Amino acid sequence: DVKVTQSSRYLVKRTGEKVFLECVQDMDHENMFWYRQDPGLGLRLIYFSYDVKMKEKGDIPEGYSVSREKKERFSLILESASTNQTSMYLCASSLSLAGLGGETQYFGPGTRLLVL
Amino acid sequence: SQQGEEDPQALSIQEGENATMNCSYKTSINNLQWYRQNSGRGLVHLILIRSNEREKHSGRLRVTLDTSKKSSSLLITASRAADTASYFCATDGRETSGSRLTFGEGTQLTVNP
């Protein structure tokens, strides 16, 4: 059974802290994604990765960085957390269909981050 | 910019009724998918329809796609209280990578027992 796990369900951090959100998938998927979800704004793509050590900016990369050292793990880093980064963070993965499109994304349960 | 926009934003119906949600998008697409999200959880894939398809069924779900109007609809028949969730459409555009999806803002469906 397909599984995407995220390191924390809830997280409380202080402004200025460095925050690591971890995502692990067990499906040998090439693609991994980080989204944030806010009321009224839907899901917005922060970063995605097509392969190990590869990353591409999404729609809202400012204030975030990512790391993909192993195929199964994709980390989202908030270099210096700010209150406007309080949000629900969702990780997803998908199998690459070599540009054909239509890949189903499998999501983790989400991390609700509160920055005080 | 928002590629997919769902309509209505919120829908409340009685158990047994049908629920219809609509999605509009702006650019040409390869595929359109619908996802469901229970409160406070991750999204779960429901169904995919390709740009050369007009209608698709899966159990109580029926999806239509009209590429000339750049719109799709999701129909849930004989709704149940357990169908209460948010529903999102997601598109992969021809101008973007096939792997990347753009999600709409979602429709919150409430099915009252």
Side-chain angles (χ1 to χ4, degrees):
Chain A
D1 203 18
V2 161
K3 197 154 187 185
V4 179
T5 57
Q6 294 183 229
S7 49
S8 306
R9 289 300 312 277
Y10 300 95
L11 210 51
V12 180
K13 295 292 181 181
R14 298 214 173 269
T15 302
E17 279 193 77
K18 191 168 186 175
V19 181
F20 293 87
L21 302 182
E22 303 283 337
C23 175
V24 178
Q25 50 95 2
D26 65 358
M27 298 161 283
D28 203 34
H29 284 172
E30 291 84 4
N31 306 318
M32 295 190 75
F33 308 83
W34 273 107
Y35 298 89
R36 64 176 283 176
Q37 183 177 25
D38 301 286
L41 296 175
L43 274 74
R44 293 180 291 167
L45 183 64
I46 304 171
Y47 268 98
F48 58 107
S49 168
Y50 290 132
D51 201 351
V52 176
K53 295 193 186 296
M54 302 205 45
K55 61 185 179 185
E56 288 202 30
K57 293 180 180 179
D59 297 321
I60 50 163
E62 296 78 18
Y64 303 94
S65 62
V66 290
S67 171
R68 190 153 180 216
E69 296 297 318
K70 293 184 178 180
K71 190 175 186 180
E72 67 270 19
R73 188 179 298 268
F74 193 35
S75 303
L76 180 69
I77 303 151
L78 286 65
E79 296 290 342
S80 177
S82 63
T83 55
N84 63 13
Q85 292 178 310
T86 290
S87 186
M88 171 74 132
Y89 289 87
L90 292 164
C91 174
S93 71
S94 70
L95 191 64
S96 177
L97 296 178
L100 296 176
E103 294 102 337
T104 295
Q105 289 190 12
Y106 296 87
F107 282 80
T111 295
R112 196 168 290 279
L113 173 67
L114 173 62
V115 182
L116 300 173
Chain B
S1 61
Q2 203 58 250
Q3 166 71 329
E5 296 182 3
E6 288 88 347
D7 168 50
Q9 289 188 332
L11 181 61
S12 182
I13 59 174
Q14 294 300 122
E15 213 165 21
E17 293 180 343
N18 295 342
T20 299
M21 289 158 273
N22 302 298
C23 168
S24 60
Y25 56 91
K26 295 182 174 64
T27 62
S28 296
I29 62 169
N30 293 318
N31 308 279
L32 186 143
Q33 302 182 43
W34 284 90
Y35 286 78
R36 165 198 169 122
Q37 183 182 34
N38 284 23
S39 179
R41 310 295 294 185
L43 279 71
V44 176
H45 178 260
L46 294 176
I47 195 167
L48 177 149
I49 187 165
R50 300 198 181 278
S51 59
N52 61 355
E53 296 176 311
R54 291 296 164 258
E55 188 170 313
K56 204 160 183 181
H57 297 254
S58 177
R60 293 184 296 114
L61 305 180
R62 173 178 167 251
V63 170
T64 62
L65 179 64
D66 187 336
T67 53
S68 66
K69 294 182 180 177
K70 292 188 170 57
S71 68
S72 172
S73 67
L74 172 68
L75 168 68
I76 303 174
T77 60
S79 64
R80 305 166 182 166
D83 294 329
T84 294
S86 292
Y87 292 83
F88 296 85
C89 67
T91 55
D92 55 359
R94 291 191 179 154
E95 287 89 31
T96 59
S97 157
S99 299
R100 175 177 169 165
L101 296 178
T102 302
F103 287 83
E105 295 175 18
T107 293
Q108 171 62 51
L109 173 66
T110 302
V111 181
N112 302 299

